[in-house]
Structure formats: C-alpha cells, structure tokens
Amino acid sequence: MRCIVAFVSAVFFLAITSFAQSKIEVEDLAHHPLDTEFSSGGQIDLYIRSAKIQIVGSDENRIGVRVGGGQGSKSTDMKARFRRSSSSCELRITGGPRNELTITVEVPKNSNLFVRIFAGDVQVKGITGNKDIELHAGDLTIGVGDATEYADVQASVTTGDIDAKPFGESHGGLFRSFEKSGNGKYKLVAHVGAGELTLN
C-alpha cells in the first residue's frame, strides 16, 4: 500500500512540475501562431525583434502571438521561444523579414511586464500592473490607465520627446526625463533611446 501511495505521489509531483515549468518552441510563427495558457497576475518578460508591435491586454488567461504585414505573413523563419515557471514566463521572438512586419502579443490584462525591443513602432495598451519597458529606437506608446494607480513613475528619452499628459509632463530635446511618486501600487519605468515616448 505504501508503494502505491508513493508511486501516485511521484506521478502527481511530476505532473505539477511539468505544468509549472514548461517550454514551447515555434519555428514558423507566421503559419503556426503561439497560443498557451498563462495565469493572470503573473510576471511576463518579453524580448521582441524590431517590428511594428502591439502588446495588448486580454480577458483570457492566455498568451498569444500573431504575425502579419506584407512580408511577415509570408515568412517561414520567425521563431518564438516561450518558457514558463510557476507565475512567471519569458518569451523571445526572433527571425523573419527586415520590413513590412507586424507582431501582436496578447497577454492577460492583469500582468506585470518587462519588455526589451531594439527598434520599431511599439504600442502597449489595456494592461494593468507594473511595467518596465525599453525601446532603443522608435516610437513607444503606453496606455497607463489611471495615473493615480502608480506609486513610482520614471520616464526618459535620450534623444526625442516625452508626452505624458496623465502625469502633466511634456519634454523634448536631449536627455529628457521625469519622475513621479504617488499613493498607488504599481511601478512604471519607460525609456526610449532615440524617438518619442507617449504615455496616455
């Protein structure tokens, strides 16, 4: 009897471990979109190649990636690497054409984001939680929602403009930045190397 209990416990443990720590690899993202379960309220780390990119919040507890654009939809070499561990995950998107590429990433609307992108036109909207987002070159627009929900805001551009009406800030030129503190519970860190940062 003890052997049976031990065996069942081991199988249950392996099943839980497999679910908690999983890895998905997609070799042709344009023709095989990524769609996987991920619970609301978790930490999501995104490393995405240059493109026109939308990161949007969804009511579903899932992460999905779709590729479009004149060249993107015909590509066969875009890759996605997804790794999940308990309440956090990492997604890396690489490969594909140099131009005419759009990438849409859907995440649970209540999520904490860490995003790194080299270049592109990037929009982040419909997501409530901590946000740490950096774009080396291009335009970054972040929907911040209610400005009073934030405890700490740090926004900066090396060269370009900052337009942050919810926080009463607007700056242009070299090495522009602002910081705000409040009574909310979320943290926002946003940086653009060269381009425009918009918080709306």
Side-chain angles (χ1 to χ4, degrees), residues 2 16-17 37 80 89 98-99 102-103 121 132 137 145 173 188:
R2 289 182 179 177
I16 293 297
T17 302
E37 294 182 1
C89 71
R98 297 182 64 180
N99 302 304
T102 64
I103 300 171
D121 180 355
D132 185 334
L188 170 63

Side-chain angles (χ1 to χ4, degrees), residues 23-199:
K23 184 178 180 181
I24 300 172
E25 298 188 359
V26 179
E27 297 297 328
D28 181 3
L29 193 56
H31 298 94
H32 302 282
L34 174 68
D35 184 17
T36 185
E37 294 182 1
F38 188 74
S39 297
S40 176
Q43 174 66 42
I44 301 174
D45 294 353
L46 302 175
Y47 300 87
I48 306 175
R49 55 142 297 166
S50 302
K52 183 176 182 178
I53 299 166
Q54 282 197 337
I55 304 170
V56 298
S58 168
D59 290 328
E60 298 186 18
N61 290 335
R62 309 187 70 81
I63 291 178
V65 181
R66 301 191 310 276
V67 171
Q71 296 297 320
S73 59
K74 296 184 289 186
S75 68
T76 58
D77 60 344
M78 285 198 66
K79 298 176 174 60
R81 302 286 184 270
F82 176 83
R83 181 174 298 168
R84 173 178 53 216
S85 178
S86 185
S87 61
S88 65
C89 71
E90 178 184 290
L91 173 64
R92 294 179 179 267
I93 300 174
T94 59
R98 297 182 64 180
N99 302 304
E100 297 183 56
L101 171 63
T102 64
I103 300 171
T104 301
V105 181
E106 294 184 333
V107 303
K109 64 182 181 182
N110 294 309
S111 297
N112 298 314
L113 292 181
F114 177 90
V115 182
R116 294 295 183 267
I117 300 168
F118 181 75
D121 180 355
V122 181
Q123 293 187 350
V124 181
K125 59 184 180 180
I127 300 169
T128 300
N130 297 319
K131 301 175 183 71
D132 185 334
I133 303 173
E134 185 172 314
L135 175 67
H136 182 72
D139 296 333
L140 172 59
T141 302
I142 303 174
V144 298
D146 186 352
T148 63
E149 292 185 338
Y150 293 89
D152 183 21
V153 177
Q154 303 172 33
S156 61
V157 296
T158 303
T159 303
D161 301 319
I162 299 177
D163 183 7
K165 290 183 176 63
F167 302 102
E169 299 283 346
S170 180
H171 307 276
L174 297 174
F175 304 105
R176 299 301 182 180
S177 65
F178 76 87
E179 296 185 7
K180 295 281 187 180
S181 298
N183 297 320
K185 60 180 179 178
Y186 301 123
K187 182 175 183 178
L188 170 63
V189 178
H191 175 73
V192 173
E196 183 171 343
L197 171 59
T198 302
L199 307 178

